[in-house]
Structure formats: structure tokens, C-alpha cells
Amino acid sequence: MALLQIFEPGQSTVPHQHRRAIGIDLGTTHSLVATVRNSIATVLPDEHGRVLLPSVVRYGAEGVKSVGVEAAARQAEDPRNTLASFKRFMGRGLADVTRTHQGDLPYEFADAPGMVQIRTVAGVKSPVEVSAEVLRVLRQRAEASLGGELTGAVITVPAYFDDAQRQATKDAAQLAGLNVLRLLNEPTAAAIAYGLDNAAEGVYAVYDLGGGTFDISILRLTKGVFEVLATGGDSALGGDDFDRRIACWAIEAGQLPPLGPRDLRALQVEAREVKEALSSRDRARFHVRLQSGEPVDLTLDTATLESLGANLVAKTLKPCRQALRDAGVDITDIQGVVLVGGSTRMPMVRAAVAEFFGQAPLTNLDPDQVVALGAARQAHLLAGNRSGDDWLLLDVIPLSLGIETMGGLVEKIVPRNATLPIARAQEFTTFKDGQTAMRVHVLQGERERVEDCRSLAHFELRGIPPLPAGAARIKVTFEVDADGLLAVTAREESTGVSAQVAVKPSYGLADDDIARMLRDAFDHARDDLDARALAEAQVDADRLVDAVRAALAADGESLLSDAERSAIEARIVALVAARAGSDRSAIREATDALSTATDEFAARRMDASIRSALAGRSIESI
Amino acid sequence: MSDALTVGAPGRSGGHGPGSDPFALLGLPRGMSMAPHVLDEAYRGLQARVHPDRYADKTDAERRVAMQWATAANEAYRTLRKPLLRAKYLIESAGVGLGEQDNTAMPAEFLMQQMEWREHVAEARAHRDDKALRHIEHAIRSAEVELWPLLESRIAEADWPHAADVWRRLRFLEKLHDDIEDVRSALLD
């Protein structure tokens, strides 16, 4: 699997081939997929011409499943098995979900540690699996539309998503059979779409109020560089909250009796429709028939909606102020404010944004589509479809990363809004003679106390060489990549021994869980899979051998010792021999062995090529 | 300029990797004077060549190297972008410690002024008085305007211990600015 990712699309034997790449906006309320065709980004509709896929999954008895419009239409009928707004559960524990929703969700949650799980008629489901259902439908839509397998996908996430939420999204994409080129922040994706279409330069704000999340990003756009200066938000604030306020209003105004899950869901569905209607009208009828047969017939006007939602809108302004401060820009420096997310259609939101930024927001783009369109353009670029107008994206980490220290305090290691990628090292020592293991608790958030931050994981370092107390110097390196995902490595400095890092994610899935879900997903297609896997292994082997031979011819002389070179050549011979047979695992093993043996060589070539590019730069500038 | 050229020399610092001198990495002359747009352009130019997104279709090993360079580029930019951090790097790389935590060997007069400003900030907070905050900010800025040329000349003369003294005072003032900003945010929320 890893090698497939490595050599596809790279090292393709067919140069300049167009690679099929897509951008997916995996939203709280609905999701969509876009691609770049003939250098134009375009959203892909389903066979009925519908672009938006409701992010709703319904599990029926006997493995029947529906996703999208059909599932959404039946949510009031079978609320327990019809899952909606599950993006809010990604990377979250049961306690988080019950705290933010106060029991108004119609689901039956399983009592399990880690990420929240939902009991359905088809078994216990993780939000990751449910999200994968939506992604799988979009993948199939794209494959049908583009006429073949995809090279990869860019999946968007709220900028304010923490590490657990990002990892959960990436897991869902992999579960759906997508090769993830990049996780891209939603406001950044919108900025790419807007910036490229309008040749925009200067400092822009992207205000993104979606169904369940709020993001604010401040970006500087300069000659092909999209530089995020700061980001902020609230990963549990969105259009859903307005719907709930309206539903509560209906319960009070209509003096309704205590309601069951079906009625509650029906009220929320109606609340959303009424809210949307009020974006273009002054008053709207709120009409629902309860399970008891009793009708609810009310009228909501914009003034009431504004009073219901006023403090939700106000809650978005504090992160705006903070982001401006973190970005080090004044409100008058903002060239334009881009609106993203369906909830920004509400006139009260537009008015609040206009007042805060002192200018009317830009509304010449579709707030539902702009994120997917930007993601498609980034995917097109990352897949290696060079078009001459390359751009560079520099994004930031939304929340500080830290570790637990004495007394339940958090020591910051990586500050929020640091540009990615970033690496920070921290030294630890042992406090007992002969101590060979230690635990590091990693958290994300801005507060000082452990209980006020998000627990990401416990890392256990093992294999520390036994030394007297305080003599071991363990350097733990925290690396955050361009996707905003954290990796931890550890090394004992005095002996140079690498400690093993075992990760226990607090709200993530263990590798075993993912393997099980993959098995479940592919159970029916096993035979197909075997034949395909052999073919893939052979293709990968051929590509690797070709690539290594080419690299040896170019740089083998200058970058490798004789011994290193003959070690690599021996592995080539072994792989060519395995490739001649039909034992898939033997081919994979020999491929992995050659790949490992050439890692250092590849790194040296890359380093040399960067150095020569930079040396050229220095001479030019003299 | 000679520093910039050594970036291209292979095999420096043992293995591969970008090295840790931010000036050399960005191809800029070592020193305090640096026009912001020159630094910004050098940084963007460097990232345009080394960022892992440029190598998204390459092997894991190659992308790992790109990530090391991009990480170093970010670190270098961070170190040089704010003049106070740039000065800190220059002073510390000359082997003089800044002792941010414990060194309070400062003129008594300066410390008195500090305490007075802090009291004013606390009062302004209690009275929710933004005008008073702006007044203190103005006074701090005047103090900074006096100290900056001093720091720059100490660094230019390579008089590191005295540069460190001035740096510590400027750092105090920066912290005061931060405190004022905190108060302002608190008043708005």
C-alpha cells in the first residue's frame, strides 16, 4: 500500500500523462467533489445532475445502505439509523458530544473509550466509517465521470480541526479507497479558488461558517504564494446550532409536550428549511405534523431569528479579532473578505461581517462550491499536472501543541499559527536508575491546564538504554507536516539509540481498527482484489527497478560508495527474480527491500539537487 | 555574500540537510539591517524550491528531505522576521547568553519605570480605559525608538555583552506591549 502511494503518480513511465485528481469538500451538511478539466475547475454532478450530496448515511437491515438524498429524505422516519452531521463526531469522545449536544441527538451511542461510536441496526459504527461511506460515493461519482481510477484526492477539513479530527478524516479517506494527496484547510481552499480566479494580491480574510464548524483565516496573497498568516475558529459552531435554536423556539412557542427522537429530528429538519427561507423573505411558516398526529403551525420572522441567533453570530467575532492579532495585521489592511459556507447566506451573518471588517464581504462566488473547487485545483497541482502557473501554499497549525508536565500543566512545544511544516525538539531525562521507558502525554490547545486542552495521545518511549538517573538525554522531536498531522520520534542522545515510540491516540483509531474496517469494506470483492493486487505489485516492481537504474546511471558514481552501490544492485537482481514469478508477497517483500536500500541514496540525490538549485540562486543574486 | 555560497557546498555538517544558519539558508547577508520585502522574497523563493508540495509526486525519501528543508526555511524565516528575534540569534550565536529568565541586572531607573508602567496598565484595565492604554503604548514606543539604534550599533561593533543588555531592555518593553494587547482583548470580549 505504501509503495503504491510512493510510485504513483511519481516515476510514471508515461511522461506528461494527465493524472485524474479530485478535490472533496466533506461537509457537515453536504459534501461535493470537483476536478480540473481542460484547466477549468468544475464540480461533478451525480446522474441526476445534483452536485450536493447530503452528508447523511442510512443503515438498513441486512446490509442495505443508502447515502445522500435518499437517506436524508428518511431521517425523520428512522432517526436512530440515519446518521447526519457526523462530521461533528470526528475525533471526538462521547463526553464531548454529549456536552455540546445536551441529549438532543436521536442516536444511541456505544459506551466505548476513545472516539464516539454509534449503535445502528447494521452494528456499531465509527464516524470514520460513516464518513467513508460518503467519500466512497463521491469517489465512484468521480471515477464514472472521469473514466478511470484516480491518482489521488485532496480532502478539505476545517482549519480549526485538531490533530485527532484531521487524522480521523484521513483515515476515512483511506477507508474509502482514496489516495490522500493532502488535507487542505477549507478557508485556504476557498482562497485558492478566489485568488486564482481573480488574480488577487494583498491580505484577505476568509470567513467560513458551515453547517457545524466556523473558521476564520487571514491570508497574504503574493505572486503565486498563498500564505496563511493566522487562523482561528470554533470546531463546534455552525448552521446546525441555528437550527437547534429555532427548534427550541418552536417547542416553546408551540407549547409542545416532551418529544421523541423522530419528532425532534422533524423539528430540526423544518428549522433548517425555515432558516434558509428567511434568507430571502421576512417571514416563513414553520409546519410539522408530530407523530401523535398533532400539527405544529407557527410563523417565524427575521427579527425573531436574529434574536435567536445573535449570540451565535457574536461568538464568531472573537476568533476574528484573535486571528487578526495573531496575523499581526490591522483590520484596515484587509483587502477583501471572502464568505464561505452555506450559513453565510444568512443576512444577519453578512451584516455582522460587514460591520466587523468595515466593508461589504465578497459574494461573487458560490459559498457551497468554492471549497471543493479550490481543493480540485490543489489536487490537480499535487498530482503532478504542471501547467506553468504553479503556486505555493503555506499553511499554519491552528492550535498549539504541548506536553504534560509536573502538576498537570501543559508546556507548549509548537505555538499556534506557526507555518508548516515545523519540527521542535524537547529533551527529557530519566528519574530512576536503569529506567528504560517513559510516557509523554501530548495535548493540543491554548489553555495552561491539562484538563482544559485536548488530549491527543500518550506516547510511550521504550528501549531507552539503562543509565543512571538523569544521565539519559532523550530528545523527542515533534514534527507537524503540511497536512497539520503530528509525528513523534525519539532518540537517546548520549548513545544515539532510537527509542521506539508507541502511540495511543486518545480519540483516534488504532491501526487494528482500520485494518478491520478495511476488511469489512472489501470482504465481498476478495477475489477481484487478489488479481488486482498481483498486477499492482508487478507494476510497482517494474517502476521501482526502472527508477533505481536511472538514478544509478545518473548519480551512482558521485553519491555512492562501491559497497553501497553493489548492495543496491544485489537487491535489484533479487527483485527482478521475484517479479518473474507470481508470488505477490515475494514481489512486495523484494520491492520493499530495494526501496529501503535506496532510501538513503534517494535522500542524497534530493539533497544534492536542492543544494545545486540554491547555489544557483546565490550566484544569480550576486 | 560568501556565507550564501557555502549553502551549495555538499557534505557540510557531516550528513545532508539544510544546516542551521538562517542567513546562509535564505542567502542573505548576516546582520541586523534587512528590508522586510527582501527577507519575504528570499523566504518565498526558498520555499518555492524546497516545499514538499513541490515533490508530491516523488518518493517518500525525497519528500522527507524536502520536508527537512522546508522546516528549516520556516525556522529561519521565524528567526529573522522579527528584529528582536534576529538580534537574539546574532547575540546568542556569538556565544553570549541572554539569560531571559533570571538576568535582572538592569539600571534601577529602567526597572522603576517598568513598574510604573505595569501599574498604569493594571489601572487602565480596572477602569476599562483604552485611552490610558494608548498613552502608555506611546511612552513605550518612545523608549523603544531610543533603544533600537543603540542595539544596532552594539551589534555592528560586535560588542556582544552590551548588545545583550540593550536587548534585555527591549524584550521587557515587548512583553509590556503583549500585556497591553491582552488587556485590550479582554476589554473587547
Side-chain angles (χ1 to χ4, degrees):
Chain A
M1 211 55 192
L3 270 170
L4 188 65
Q5 211 173 330
I6 295 167
F7 283 96
E8 198 159 336
Q11 317 284 333
S12 168
T13 43
V14 189
H16 308 304
Q17 182 193 9
H18 176 79
R19 296 168 182 145
R20 296 182 197 94
I22 56 169
I24 292 181
D25 175 0
L26 180 61
T28 309
T29 317
H30 46 238
S31 300
L32 59 165
V33 57
T35 193
V36 173
R37 251 197 297 230
N38 307 322
S39 15
I40 294 165
T42 167
V43 290
L44 301 175
D46 67 6
E47 67 273 21
H48 302 291
R50 294 177 298 215
V51 167
L52 301 182
L53 176 72
S55 301
V56 183
V57 177
R58 176 167 186 264
Y59 291 97
E62 287 146 27
V64 181
K65 219 163 21 191
S66 60
V67 178
V69 176
E70 198 190 323
R74 300 179 70 178
Q75 47 186 329
E77 189 184 311
D78 184 16
R80 257 181 222 290
N81 298 304
T82 311
L83 310 181
S85 293
F86 40 82
K87 184 175 179 178
R88 294 190 127 179
F89 308 152
M90 295 287 270
R92 287 287 177 255
L94 184 55
D96 302 314
V97 171
T98 45
R99 189 171 52 241
T100 47
H101 289 269
Q102 292 147 4
D104 62 357
L105 290 165
Y107 312 126
E108 193 185 322
F109 293 105
D111 191 16
M115 205 189 306
V116 63
Q117 312 268 314
I118 304 152
R119 251 185 247 288
T120 73
V121 67
V124 174
K125 299 288 172 189
S126 147
V128 171
E129 287 169 280
V130 187
S131 300
E133 300 292 354
V134 171
L135 291 169
R136 201 171 288 124
V137 168
L138 294 174
R139 190 195 89 196
Q140 285 157 358
R141 184 192 287 186
E143 283 172 349
S145 171
L146 302 178
E149 269 193 55
L150 306 172
T151 295
V154 166
I155 316 283
T156 62
V157 289
Y160 213 58
F161 255 20
D162 65 26
D163 186 84
Q165 293 169 304
R166 284 166 197 272
Q167 190 59 58
T169 307
K170 197 169 182 178
D171 290 343
Q174 275 160 352
L175 202 53
L178 289 164
N179 171 33
V180 181
L181 296 168
R182 184 82 130 72
L183 295 179
L184 183 60
N185 291 328
E186 287 159 9
T188 311
I192 290 174
Y194 178 81
L196 293 176
D197 285 349
N198 296 278
E201 300 247 316
V203 180
Y204 282 79
V206 181
Y207 179 103
D208 179 355
L209 188 61
T213 56
F214 170 66
D215 282 333
I216 175 76
S217 286
I218 312 292
L219 294 100
R220 187 191 288 134
L221 279 49
T222 5
K223 284 175 260 156
V225 182
F226 293 83
E227 190 180 358
V228 180
L229 301 176
T231 198
D234 187 332
S235 62
L237 174 65
D240 283 5
D241 297 294
F242 291 81
D243 302 348
R244 268 205 297 280
R245 295 270 165 105
I246 296 170
C248 288
W249 162 83
I251 291 172
E252 267 180 41
Q255 297 181 321
L256 305 183
L259 301 172
R262 284 188 180 196
D263 285 337
L264 283 175
R265 181 59 83 81
L267 288 185
Q268 281 179 18
V269 169
E270 179 66 5
R272 185 154 110 215
E273 275 168 27
V274 166
K275 175 189 74 182
E276 287 172 5
L278 286 176
S279 287
S280 52
R281 272 188 277 149
D282 287 344
R283 44 186 39 234
R285 187 172 167 223
F286 187 105
H287 182 83
V288 171
R289 189 170 292 278
L290 299 178
Q291 292 292 310
S292 61
E294 190 193 333
V296 179
D297 204 349
L298 301 161
T299 302
L300 184 65
D301 58 26
T302 43
T304 311
L305 175 62
E306 278 168 25
S307 70
L308 291 172
N311 77 332
L312 293 174
V313 176
K315 257 174 101 174
T316 66
L317 299 179
K318 186 178 172 181
C320 291
R321 270 195 295 275
Q322 184 65 54
L324 285 167
R325 183 181 166 187
D326 286 354
V329 300
D330 198 78
I331 209 153
T332 54
D333 297 334
I334 303 286
Q335 194 104 3
V337 184
V338 177
L339 292 184
V340 186
S343 304
T344 60
R345 286 209 173 88
M346 281 188 271
M348 64 187 297
V349 171
R350 293 193 172 185
V353 171
E355 198 200 328
F356 179 82
F357 286 99
Q359 60 179 300
L362 302 159
T363 50
N364 59 334
L365 23 80
D366 183 339
D368 287 325
Q369 297 192 357
V370 63
V371 168
L373 292 172
R377 301 188 80 147
Q378 189 68 19
H380 185 73
L381 180 72
L382 292 180
N385 296 307
R386 293 283 150 84
S387 50
D389 63 337
D390 289 2
W391 61 89
L392 179 70
L393 190 64
L394 298 165
D395 218 318
V396 300
I397 182 167
L399 294 151
S400 303
L401 278 175
I403 51 167
E404 180 172 350
T405 61
M406 301 284 248
L409 296 178
V410 179
E411 185 183 332
K412 301 256 165 75
I413 307 267
V414 177
R416 73 162 182 272
N417 288 321
T419 306
L420 299 175
I422 187 168
R424 282 287 154 86
Q426 183 83 5
E427 241 182 48
F428 296 89
T429 190
T430 47
F431 60 95
K432 270 194 219 147
D433 286 343
Q435 184 180 341
T436 58
M438 66 168 56
R439 242 157 77 104
V440 181
H441 185 195
V442 183
L443 300 110
Q444 197 161 22
E446 308 312 317
R447 306 277 294 277
E448 285 181 357
R449 305 200 54 83
V450 166
E451 62 267 28
D452 298 326
C453 288
R454 298 279 325 158
S455 171
L456 290 185
H458 287 89
F459 292 95
E460 196 159 302
L461 311 179
R462 296 196 203 98
I464 299 168
L467 292 166
R473 286 189 299 122
I474 300 115
K475 188 172 157 193
V476 179
T477 305
F478 300 82
E479 270 180 320
V480 185
D481 66 13
D483 291 339
L485 290 174
L486 171 71
V488 176
T489 49
R491 204 176 127 91
E492 204 289 306
E493 291 286 278
S494 61
T495 57
V497 173
S498 292
Q500 298 127 32
V501 182
V503 189
K504 257 183 81 180
S506 305
Y507 297 103
L509 295 173
D511 287 348
D512 296 355
D513 295 330
I514 295 172
R516 176 188 56 78
M517 291 175 190
L518 269 175
R519 267 199 314 277
D520 291 353
F522 286 116
D523 243 1
H524 308 292
R526 182 160 311 283
D527 295 343
D528 263 12
L529 216 64
D530 280 347
R532 211 178 108 180
L534 175 62
E536 273 173 6
Q538 289 171 336
V539 170
D540 289 344
D542 292 345
R543 282 185 184 164
L544 183 61
V545 169
D546 287 352
V548 173
R549 280 182 177 149
L552 282 175
D555 296 314
E557 203 71 42
S558 56
L559 294 177
L560 292 174
S561 69
D562 288 346
E564 287 168 333
R565 187 178 180 132
S566 44
I568 291 173
E569 276 163 352
R571 295 257 152 72
I572 295 178
V573 173
L575 177 54
V576 170
R579 165 68 177 85
S582 61
D583 180 349
R584 175 169 61 95
S585 58
I587 299 174
R588 277 272 172 246
E589 267 169 40
T591 307
D592 287 350
L594 176 58
S595 175
T596 311
T598 53
D599 259 6
E600 173 64 20
F601 179 39
R604 278 185 215 167
R605 292 188 77 213
M606 176 72 182
D607 209 62
S609 107
I610 289 180
R611 276 174 195 286
S612 76
L614 295 184
R617 168 202 68 177
S618 301
I619 290 160
E620 276 161 29
S621 67
I622 285 168
Chain B
M1 277 299 135
S2 61
D3 262 320
L5 280 173
T6 57
V7 175
R12 212 159 55 111
S13 74
H16 43 72
S20 62
D21 180 344
F23 293 100
L25 185 60
L26 287 159
L28 296 168
R30 197 180 176 87
M32 279 306 288
S33 80
M34 188 177 287
H37 75 274
V38 171
L39 174 64
D40 290 349
E41 277 165 27
Y43 166 68
R44 291 186 200 124
L46 177 61
Q47 280 295 17
R49 288 168 203 239
V50 304
H51 196 277
D53 279 359
R54 289 279 189 238
Y55 305 93
D57 55 352
K58 293 290 194 292
T59 66
D60 273 358
E62 287 165 299
R63 281 193 313 221
R64 227 172 10 247
V65 173
M67 177 147 149
Q68 280 169 13
W69 282 83
T71 300
N74 283 333
E75 192 61 35
Y77 186 49
R78 198 189 66 85
T79 305
L80 300 190
R81 190 166 36 174
K82 287 194 181 158
L84 208 57
L85 286 177
R86 196 187 309 155
K88 179 180 181 192
Y89 173 80
L90 288 168
I91 296 167
E92 287 185 336
S93 63
V96 174
L98 287 167
E100 271 189 72
Q101 310 294 329
D102 45 37
N103 199 319
T104 46
M106 268 186 228
E109 179 192 354
F110 180 81
L111 291 173
M112 290 295 287
Q113 175 71 76
Q114 285 293 310
M115 281 162 64
E116 199 180 306
W117 275 330
R118 272 182 201 286
E119 278 163 25
H120 287 328
V121 171
E123 272 168 41
R125 177 181 195 138
H127 296 107
R128 308 179 68 84
D129 185 351
D130 193 55
K131 211 172 147 192
L133 285 179
R134 258 178 285 157
H135 190 75
I136 306 163
E137 266 178 324
H138 185 75
I140 296 170
R141 223 159 263 142
S142 314
E144 285 174 327
V145 168
E146 270 179 45
L147 287 170
W148 270 110
L150 201 58
L151 178 62
E152 279 166 19
S153 60
R154 293 287 183 258
I155 288 175
E157 293 153 12
D159 178 357
W160 303 113
H162 285 107
D165 284 345
V166 183
W167 187 91
R168 277 190 289 268
R169 277 192 259 172
L170 278 162
R171 174 75 186 119
F172 254 96
L173 298 179
E174 187 186 62
K175 278 186 192 150
L176 256 173
H177 271 304
D178 288 347
D179 291 349
I180 291 172
E181 277 301 314
D182 285 344
V183 170
R184 192 162 279 147
S185 305
L187 291 186
L188 280 168
D189 293 338

